[in-house]
Amino acid sequence: MGKIKVSNIRVYAYHGCLREESINGSDYRVDVEVLADLKKASISDDLNDTVDYVLINHIVKQEMAIKSKLLEHVAKRILDRILKECETVSLAEVTVSKINPPINGDVEMVSINLQLTR
C-alpha cells in the first residue's frame, strides 16, 4: 500500500451561502491524499500502474469550478470522481479550505475534511 498526496492546489471559485460569495468568488486551497497499491508501479515504472496526480489535479479544478453553497458538497464530488476514475485508489481524503473567509473576523482560512473508502 502507498500514499500519494497532491498538496496546496490553488483555485479561485465561487462557493458559499452568501450572495456575494457566488458573485465575487474567493481563493481556495485543496489538498488530496489517496491510498493505493503502488507496488506494481514501483517495479514497472509505468504511469498506467499508478494513480496519475495530473488527473487528480484536473478533477479538483473541474469540481471546484461548479458553484456550491457548501464546501462539504464540493469535497464529496471530488471524492466520488477520484474513486470512480482511479480504480486503484482504496481510500481518498480531501481537504477544501476557503482562504480569508467573509466571517467578520481575522481568520486565515476555514477547512473541511472528508474521507471516502472504496
Side-chain angles (χ1 to χ4, degrees):
M1 193 61 60
K3 186 182 295 185
I4 293 177
K5 295 181 181 182
V6 184
S7 302
N8 200 19
I9 302 168
R10 292 178 298 276
V11 295
Y12 197 84
Y14 299 86
H15 307 301
C17 294
L18 302 175
R19 185 173 181 273
E20 297 78 28
E21 292 175 297
S22 66
I23 296 170
N24 299 330
S26 299
D27 289 307
Y28 291 84
R29 169 188 171 158
V30 181
D31 298 290
V32 177
E33 187 172 307
V34 297
L35 295 182
D37 184 353
L38 303 178
K39 183 177 181 182
K40 185 175 180 182
S42 69
I43 295 166
S44 71
D45 196 29
D46 187 339
L47 180 61
N48 294 314
D49 294 333
T50 191
V51 178
D52 185 354
Y53 50 79
V54 173
L55 175 59
I56 291 174
N57 183 60
H58 179 73
I59 289 169
V60 167
K61 289 187 174 188
Q62 281 189 331
E63 294 302 325
M64 288 295 291
I66 301 168
K67 288 183 183 182
S68 295
K69 292 178 184 172
L70 300 178
L71 298 181
E72 293 86 342
H73 186 69
V74 180
K76 175 71 165 73
R77 289 198 322 262
I78 292 169
L79 290 172
D80 287 344
R81 287 232 3 234
I82 289 171
L83 288 183
K84 180 181 177 186
E85 297 181 33
C86 304
E87 295 177 9
T88 59
V89 170
S90 59
L91 180 140
E93 180 175 352
V94 65
T95 302
V96 179
S97 303
K98 182 181 286 193
I99 310 299
N100 196 22
I103 59 174
N104 261 346
D106 186 14
V107 177
E108 180 181 351
M109 73 174 101
V110 294
S111 303
I112 65 94
N113 177 275
L114 292 178
Q115 285 185 357
L116 191 59
T117 304
R118 187 178 302 281

